[in-house]
Amino acid sequence: MKKLILVIALAFVSAVGFSQNPLGVGQNQLNVGLGFSNWGTPVYIGFDHGISRDLTLGAEFSYRSYDEKWNNDSNYKHNIMGFSGNLNYHFNTALNMSNEWDFYIGPNIGFIVWNSPDLYDGKHNSGLGIGAQLGFRYYLSNSIGLNLEFGGGNAFNGGKFGLTFKL
């Protein structure tokens, strides 16, 4: 009976120990990669900070450039920068996931800066955006992971993929 209790206790401790958010309280990580959208290929860099066992607070910067043919006239080159902040809930504890995996969802808010030629009279403009994201990470080691995220309503309409580095 004592062995059974010991085995159950060790299994419980192991499950709880391995089901924590891969980014602990006070820890930081850097995200870099490429996005996909209708407005060029974004390049992004982001930063996440663990604020509780299941929550991270983050910031991100993105840049993209693309050409648009407007009114069958000529091509206009646009440059777009995005600045955003996010709050993510990580499901590792709730879903009893191992530290190799990270599944998260959360809201974001940001500002998009469109830089278009003076002669362009289209409808793209700068502005504030509120959106959400859903993402997954797979950690290849204790410090490097692969990231895939989908979202909309902000600087990223579409998705992105890249690398995560724990700092």
Side-chain angles (χ1 to χ4, degrees), residues 80-149:
I80 307 161
M81 291 183 290
F83 304 91
S84 63
N86 61 57
L87 177 70
N88 285 311
Y89 175 79
H90 299 260
F91 288 91
N92 289 57
T93 302
L95 298 178
N96 198 24
M97 297 169 62
S98 73
N99 278 342
E100 295 168 330
W101 293 96
D102 184 15
F103 169 51
Y104 60 90
I105 190 169
N108 60 57
I109 186 168
F111 194 77
I112 302 168
V113 178
W114 286 81
N115 184 0
S116 299
D118 290 337
L119 297 176
Y120 177 75
D121 62 350
K123 60 183 175 182
H124 299 305
N125 55 20
S126 301
L128 185 66
I130 298 174
Q133 66 276 339
L134 167 73
F136 306 90
R137 275 192 194 86
Y138 177 75
Y139 286 94
L140 303 169
S141 70
N142 288 334
S143 59
I144 298 175
L146 302 173
N147 190 13
L148 175 64
E149 184 175 296

Side-chain angles (χ1 to χ4, degrees), residues 38-69:
N38 293 333
W39 304 313
T41 302
V43 176
Y44 74 92
I45 184 167
F47 178 81
D48 296 316
H49 177 75
I51 59 173
S52 78
R53 183 169 83 175
D54 298 321
L55 292 174
T56 57
L57 189 61
E60 189 170 281
F61 170 76
S62 66
Y63 174 82
R64 70 188 97 175
S65 177
Y66 84 102
D67 293 326
E68 178 184 25
K69 188 167 186 128

